[in-house]
Amino acid sequence: DPKIIQKPKYLVAVTGSEKILICEQYLGHNAMYWYRQSAKKPLEFMFSYSYQKLMDNQTASSRFQPQSSKKNHLDLQITALKPDDSATYFCASSQDWDWGDAEQFFGPGTRLTVL
Amino acid sequence: GQQVKQSSPSLTVQEGGISILNCDYENDMFDYFAWYKKYPDNSPTLLISVRSNVDKREDGRLTVFLNKSGKHFSLHITASQPEDTAVYLCAAGDANYNVLYFGSGTKLTVEP
């Protein structure tokens, strides 16, 4: 059974619309993250959460808003979508938000295309 | 600029040979270093990691070498197999922030 679920796997949106990317982890982890990989660019850190609290935000745009309704959920709301937002968005988790157990497990990703 | 760099976008090795993948980083505060394996349309999977207090770690056919003074780390895969064919991502981070910075990846091809 998959331990980190991301929904949907593929998503097509029109410019200016709003979408929510879903992430749920069943590893019992306390820290969750969002990363983004655009075409021909490295995987890029966006947000980290620990116990549902924002720890770090390296996303310049406020159009990206994480939402954590439960400890094992970290959704990503993206508003006013632009073609440059097209990327694969990966959710990840780790046991805790410190380096004692730093291994981050990644979900399968949501591939977003903005037309 | 990019914090973590993999200068070789691709590497081809013969089956049974040693694959050596390299990674350079800029921030000397980084103290966590990792290698991930990624297949197309799949998520990265952690292979091996080290903290800055060691300069080498082995796990089966995998060895990570860390050169802190040179801000460089590498992954050696011995007895390379066709199943090792994938994209390898290096990542590094600062323990204070739990943010991983990734390289752009090296596509390893192991030819039979």
Side-chain angles (χ1 to χ4, degrees):
Chain A
D1 289 336
K3 301 299 185 183
I4 301 181
I5 296 171
Q6 288 189 246
K7 294 184 283 191
K9 186 170 177 61
Y10 300 100
L11 184 58
V12 180
V14 295
T15 297
S17 66
E18 172 183 315
K19 293 293 180 186
I20 296 180
L21 311 184
I22 305 295
C23 178
E24 306 168 8
Q25 55 91 4
Y26 296 94
L27 295 164
H29 288 170
N30 300 312
M32 295 185 71
Y33 313 83
W34 277 101
Y35 288 82
R36 169 175 57 195
Q37 186 165 30
S38 305
K40 305 199 180 201
K41 290 187 178 179
L43 203 58
E44 173 191 17
F45 172 86
M46 300 178 74
F47 299 98
S48 60
Y49 268 66
S50 177
Y51 291 93
Q52 296 183 267
K53 290 177 63 176
L54 177 67
M55 304 306 291
D56 198 352
N57 174 0
Q58 295 199 6
T59 304
S61 173
S62 60
R63 296 186 298 107
F64 295 84
Q65 290 292 327
Q67 299 171 344
S68 182
S69 59
K70 300 180 190 178
K71 193 181 90 168
N72 68 325
H73 283 226
L74 186 64
D75 299 335
L76 181 64
Q77 179 186 40
I78 314 174
T79 58
L81 279 160
K82 302 177 180 180
D84 279 353
D85 297 332
S86 297
T88 299
Y89 291 80
F90 288 101
C91 174
S93 69
S94 66
Q95 184 61 57
D96 285 296
W97 191 82
D98 64 41
W99 292 110
D101 186 3
E103 180 174 357
Q104 292 187 23
F105 295 83
F106 283 77
T110 292
R111 183 179 289 184
L112 171 66
T113 302
V114 183
L115 303 175
Chain B
Q2 199 171 326
Q3 299 252 25
V4 177
K5 295 178 184 176
Q6 292 177 257
S7 54
S8 298
S10 63
L11 173 68
T12 299
V13 172
Q14 294 299 309
E15 183 175 4
I18 298 176
S19 301
I20 300 176
L21 301 153
N22 295 299
C23 190
D24 297 297
Y25 62 95
E26 295 189 355
N27 190 336
D28 53 15
M29 295 298 293
F30 286 168
D31 56 3
Y32 173 81
F33 307 91
W35 285 94
Y36 282 76
K37 185 176 183 179
K38 188 178 183 301
Y39 294 110
D41 296 329
N42 271 288
S43 54
T45 303
L46 180 69
L47 288 175
I48 189 168
S49 63
V50 293
R51 301 291 298 268
S52 58
N53 57 344
V54 298
D55 54 16
K56 177 182 172 182
R57 182 182 172 199
E58 290 182 60
D59 183 1
R61 296 188 296 115
L62 307 178
T63 303
V64 177
F65 293 92
L66 174 62
N67 174 356
K68 285 217 76 178
S69 62
K71 290 192 271 188
H72 175 86
F73 61 109
S74 61
L75 174 67
H76 291 215
I77 306 174
T78 57
S80 298
Q81 302 165 5
E83 307 87 85
D84 296 329
T85 295
V87 174
Y88 288 79
L89 305 175
C90 64
D94 177 346
N96 292 319
Y97 297 102
N98 215 30
V99 172
L100 282 180
Y101 295 92
F102 282 84
S104 52
T106 296
K107 179 172 168 40
L108 173 65
T109 302
V110 180
E111 293 182 338

